[in-house]
Amino acid sequence: MAKVIARSSRELAVAPEQVLEFLRDYRERSKILTDNYSAYRVEQGGRGDGTVIGYHFAAGGRERDYRLRVQEAKGALQEHDELSSFVSIWSVAPAGTGSEVTLEGSWDGAGGIAGIFEGLFAPIGLRRIYGQVLERLAAAVGA
């Protein structure tokens, strides 16, 4: 069982703290999600560390529910799924006069042939979706 990782980055013409301020507000987060995400809800908290969110995610013929608990670290929000090994990490770093935002998702992949295909194709689809989410983030923060 190998770790599967999908990552997408985008530079924004906005200060890192302004981007993090938007990302910390989980009640506003649904504004940047694609149609792949449904039934989005804030179950606990709503701002940064300790927040718990849930949603249904569908892509590539696969669907599943997620319940993520947020941990905040310097320049990053880590969202750990309580129902699986899935972790998403939003990292925001200074870049020129703005910031670079990276969205990464990772999980323990399946074994055998199914795992090989998952490791090859799942990151491609998720990178596309993450790119769209980052595009919407740029619009939301005025970058």
Side-chain angles (χ1 to χ4, degrees):
M1 185 181 318
K3 182 71 77 180
V4 179
I5 300 172
R7 181 182 303 119
S8 188
S9 297
R10 181 175 177 140
E11 286 195 23
L12 304 179
V14 176
E17 189 52 42
Q18 185 179 344
V19 176
L20 279 169
E21 197 57 34
F22 178 88
L23 291 173
R24 281 184 192 110
D25 188 347
Y26 282 86
R27 298 202 187 282
E28 294 293 310
R29 179 73 66 89
S30 64
K31 292 178 180 177
I32 65 170
L33 300 178
T34 65
D35 292 341
N36 302 91
Y37 300 83
S38 62
Y40 178 88
R41 65 206 173 277
V42 175
E43 297 182 2
Q44 178 181 315
R47 280 198 68 70
D49 212 31
T51 294
V52 177
I53 59 169
Y55 56 81
H56 184 79
F57 185 81
R62 307 248 187 222
E63 296 186 32
R64 75 178 315 277
D65 292 318
Y66 291 90
R67 185 172 193 265
L68 299 130
R69 183 170 299 276
V70 178
Q71 291 180 311
E72 193 164 350
K74 185 174 171 62
L77 293 167
Q78 300 174 359
E79 303 164 348
H80 299 264
D81 186 27
E82 295 180 343
L83 308 173
S84 72
S85 62
F86 179 77
V87 176
S88 63
I89 301 172
W90 291 84
S91 302
V92 182
T97 59
S99 55
E100 180 177 42
V101 182
T102 300
L103 175 53
E104 176 182 296
S106 65
W107 65 95
D108 296 332
I113 290 289
I116 292 170
F117 285 105
E118 179 183 28
L120 289 172
F121 296 110
I124 293 168
L126 271 179
R127 272 194 300 270
R128 180 183 54 76
I129 293 166
Y130 287 173
Q132 292 170 350
V133 169
L134 292 173
E135 194 174 298
R136 290 175 179 214
L137 172 63
V141 297

